[in-house]
Amino acid sequence: MASAINRIGVLTSGGDAPGMNAAIRAVARASAVAGVQCLGIRRGYNGLINGDVTELTPDSVGGLTRRGGTMLYTARSPEFMTPEGQKKAVSTCRYLGLDGIVAIGGDGTFRGALDLSAHGVAVVGVPGTIDNDIACTHYSIGFDTACNTAIDCIDKLSDTMQSHERCSVVEVMGRRAGHLALYVGIAVGATAVLVPEREVDFERDVVEKIRRSRIQGRNHFIIIVAEGCIRATDVGRRIQEEIGLDPRVTILGHIQRGGRPTARDRVTASRMGVFAVETLAAGRTNRVVCIVNGEMRDFDINEALSMHKDLQDSMYNTAVTLTTG
Ligand code: F6P
């Protein structure tokens, strides 16, 4: 890979996601192959403001694929959202002689990258978020691991719910999106799945489904609630009021962001990290790396941020069928 760039930086920003380390490793290794020096920027955009960097060599990133979290730490940086903060970050880029930045994270991270780009810094974003809500890509790093973690937890909950013949209301993450809830709901065989992208009619979507399940002889129920849809505690209270069950509410929370990345996350992160370096080395900037039908592509960040990602209708309909039958 012939390259006109000499030194790049890589950072992780926003909520961490399993597989981010594999992406960092891939960026460092691909840089070395291209003869480019790679600096790790710690604590997201804060590290760019403060010049908090460490050199990443092929050796120093060894063994990272199997580690959850991010070895570069991550942060949401209020200072970077100010013009002064951005000026400081741009000065750091110039001072360090960075010819480009790979920014791994979600849409907040890409908005930050856009700000850098507006100041003439070459940037490429890599989608890393368990929410899988980046519209231009079919897949974001961390989603598969988060699904599997949630499924593992809910399988355990199901065991005890089955023993006690109880109802479990489980809130999963996803911010304003229901992708995680939908996948997990289908995978655990939920009684009902509530997502923010579809209007919830409590009678139809919860009460009726529990009643129908009961008539069919089932004696324990799992209701999956996306955090962006409705509070799980409210769902639990209404189930008690309207059906007379005594549900247990579990908010899975940050456990969904940790753990050893799955094969899918390790491989996707590795492909995206390499592709990000190739994109910068080819002189392309203001791009987001995407995976579309299994192929690596890149989109303009502005375009990527203006796109909206809905739930896949066929996936939602599958959940509806399975929770109705
Ligand atoms: O975007 C990832 C995510 O885990 C969301 O699903 C969740 O709403 C949010 O981050 C939680 O953020 P924090 O770690 O700041 O509590």
Side-chain angles (χ1 to χ4, degrees):
M1 188 174 19
S3 163
I5 57 174
N6 297 309
R7 183 179 292 161
I8 64 166
V10 55
L11 60 82
T12 49
S13 158
D16 63 350
M20 279 183 165
N21 274 326
I24 294 166
R25 170 181 175 273
V27 170
R29 293 262 164 105
S31 297
V33 170
V36 173
Q37 191 188 23
C38 182
L39 300 184
I41 300 155
R42 294 195 195 94
R43 300 177 180 86
Y45 292 108
N46 283 338
L48 212 48
I49 291 171
N50 305 324
D52 185 4
V53 297
T54 180
E55 185 175 354
L56 299 178
T57 62
D59 226 31
S60 72
V61 294
L64 272 187
T65 48
R66 62 178 172 270
R67 278 174 47 192
T70 161
M71 57 89 74
L72 290 176
Y73 307 101
T74 183
R76 296 187 168 98
S77 172
E79 190 180 357
F80 185 74
M81 289 174 194
T82 66
E84 295 73 35
Q86 286 167 23
K87 254 168 85 184
K88 282 191 208 165
V90 173
S91 308
T92 309
C93 288
R94 300 222 167 99
Y95 175 76
L96 294 172
L98 294 178
D99 299 311
I101 302 279
V102 176
I104 307 168
D107 54 3
T109 304
F110 300 157
R111 269 189 281 278
L114 207 53
D115 292 329
L116 283 178
S117 178
H119 288 90
V121 178
V123 289
V124 172
V126 171
T129 165
I130 65 162
D131 303 335
N132 204 21
D133 59 349
I134 307 296
C136 61
T137 184
H138 287 171
Y139 189 78
S140 295
I141 298 165
F143 179 70
D144 189 55
T145 309
C147 281
N148 281 293
T149 301
I151 289 164
D152 188 44
C153 293
I154 296 164
D155 283 350
K156 290 185 169 93
L157 278 172
S158 293
D159 288 345
T160 172
M161 293 301 137
Q162 188 266 330
S163 306
H164 287 263
E165 302 181 84
R166 274 178 173 155
C167 175
S168 181
V169 179
V170 187
E171 183 179 295
V172 302
M173 277 189 167
R175 212 166 31 140
R176 289 182 292 276
H179 304 283
L180 195 53
L182 188 57
Y183 263 73
V184 166
I186 291 172
V188 300
T191 312
V193 185
L194 307 181
V195 289
E197 291 86 348
R198 300 289 183 275
E199 195 196 335
V200 174
D201 174 333
F202 202 80
E203 181 64 29
R204 179 196 64 196
D205 298 328
V206 181
V207 176
E208 267 305 304
K209 286 184 193 286
I210 293 177
R211 286 207 177 112
R212 207 173 303 119
S213 279
R214 265 176 148 178
I215 290 166
Q216 284 161 347
R218 289 174 208 139
N219 59 2
H220 73 285
F221 316 98
I222 305 283
I223 315 298
I224 303 295
V225 184
E227 66 171 341
C229 180
I230 176 172
R231 290 168 68 98
T233 44
D234 290 341
V235 174
R237 183 182 43 75
R238 287 189 66 180
I239 289 175
Q240 188 157 34
E241 285 168 4
E242 295 178 35
I243 315 185
L245 295 175
D246 182 20
R248 294 294 185 268
V249 176
T250 305
I251 296 170
L252 290 182
H254 289 82
I255 198 161
Q256 295 160 101
R257 290 231 301 256
R260 284 157 55 96
T262 59
R264 182 172 187 189
D265 280 323
R266 296 181 196 200
V267 173
T268 307
S270 300
R271 291 180 75 191
M272 286 181 166
V274 169
F275 194 77
V277 175
E278 288 171 354
T279 304
L280 279 176
R284 295 165 68 74
T285 176
N286 205 30
R287 313 297 294 174
V288 178
V289 166
C290 300
I291 191 153
V292 179
N293 297 328
E295 293 299 329
M296 301 307 306
R297 291 180 50 187
D298 56 290
F299 270 75
D300 180 86
I301 297 186
N302 284 294
E303 200 188 328
L305 285 174
S306 68
M307 291 161 80
H308 171 70
K309 187 172 194 172
D310 193 8
L311 293 179
Q312 216 179 330
D313 264 331
S314 60
M315 185 80 71
Y316 182 74
N317 293 338
T318 298
V320 171
T321 302
L322 292 174
T323 56
T324 304

